[in-house]
Amino acid sequence: MYIILLGAPGAGKGTQATAIAQKLNLAHIASGDLFRQALEQGTGLGRQARVYMEKGELVPDEVTTQMILERMSAPDSEKGAVLDGFPRNLEQAKALDKALAGQSRAIDRIIAISVSEEELRKRLGGRRVCRQCQTVYNIVESPPEVGGKCDKCGGELYQRPDDTAETVKKRLEVYFEQTAPLIDYYRQKGKLIEVGGEGTIDEVTRRTVAALNEGELIAR
Ligand code: ADP
Ligand code: ZN
């Protein structure tokens, strides 16, 4: 089973992708996390991606698509995966469809999480991420129990360099121009599930799981 999570930066893709992957026992593949990992490891891919990420632009399609397809062919993705942050434009979506079709597979569902622009800005400004386990906090809305430390693993929380005001603005522009059109692309394929992304994390997870249930993707 392959599920795609679509949504603007700050919509909660990562948080929900983690929850769903766990529930359905699927791999969680997050393009942004893979780039950040490459960056930390100082690989060529990381150096290439950095320039784009810092500006809030998309990393070129070819590099990105190849990275994701490689990751999808790892053993833990055999039963399927939840894709978070990919595809992010029409070219990537088509490349993914084509690659899966070549293996007689296809995307099962696309979950589009919608959140108002005002709420997105608030979330991104206050966002802090655990360096070790990638759990996301918000210093205003969902602060950690101990300041600066991850509740789950004690790791150090940091602000992503692309969560600065200027880059956030650019990332939202890129989302509305390039990624949002994918909602129509998948709607036309009859695979889209739309979920309201405001409310508590658990509420959104419940909505998402309920929507997948209706689509009979989860055995009752
Ligand atoms: P967010 O969804 O909060 O913007 P991500 O962690 O998913 O954050 O992505 C961070 C950055 O990584 C993006 O702004 C972009 O530069 C790069 N990136 C992630 N996914 C893709 C993709 N599918 N195509 C191109 N660039 C990507
Ligand atoms: Zn942690």
Side-chain angles (χ1 to χ4, degrees), residues 1-126:
M1 179 188 319
Y2 293 102
I3 297 174
I4 293 175
L5 280 191
L6 265 183
K13 292 186 300 287
T15 307
Q16 298 304 330
T18 307
I20 292 162
Q22 212 168 29
K23 266 199 166 57
L24 302 185
N25 199 18
L26 303 170
H28 172 198
I29 302 181
S31 49
D33 288 350
L34 291 174
F35 283 133
R36 278 183 290 276
Q37 248 169 45
L39 223 151
E40 235 160 72
Q41 290 162 357
T43 66
L45 174 69
R47 276 193 299 278
Q48 212 178 343
R50 169 183 229 140
V51 194
Y52 299 94
M53 293 176 78
E54 278 175 355
K55 288 192 282 192
E57 290 170 4
L58 296 187
V59 179
D61 292 336
E62 209 173 311
V63 202
T64 306
T65 304
Q66 199 199 330
M67 171 183 81
I68 294 293
L69 293 180
E70 247 170 54
R71 178 65 187 81
M72 285 176 77
S73 62
D76 72 327
S77 308
E78 223 160 72
K79 276 183 289 175
V82 179
L83 299 183
D84 156 15
F86 182 93
R88 240 176 168 89
N89 63 26
L90 213 49
E91 288 66 35
Q92 293 179 6
K94 288 182 177 162
L96 176 64
D97 283 345
K98 200 170 150 198
L100 285 175
Q103 307 163 10
S104 307
R105 303 203 244 188
I107 298 294
D108 297 280
R109 282 289 181 279
I110 291 82
I111 301 167
I113 307 179
S114 56
V115 170
S116 74
E117 221 178 311
E118 192 194 339
E119 174 73 13
L120 292 174
R121 280 176 211 284
K122 231 194 307 182
R123 288 189 187 177
L124 292 169

Side-chain angles (χ1 to χ4, degrees), residues 49 85 92 109 112 121 132 138-139 143 153 159 170 175 186 204:
Q92 293 179 6
R109 282 289 181 279
R121 280 176 211 284
Q132 281 180 48
N138 186 293
I139 49 172
C153 76
Q159 179 171 40
K170 179 69 186 172
Y175 171 77
Y186 288 119
V204 180

Side-chain angles (χ1 to χ4, degrees), residues 132-160:
Q132 281 180 48
C133 75
Q134 273 38 271
T135 296
V136 175
Y137 296 86
N138 186 293
I139 49 172
V140 185
E141 293 177 337
S142 56
E145 276 165 32
V146 179
K149 283 223 174 354
C150 176
D151 293 347
K152 289 190 190 159
C153 76
E156 180 206 355
L157 304 187
Y158 78 112
Q159 179 171 40
R160 277 169 40 178

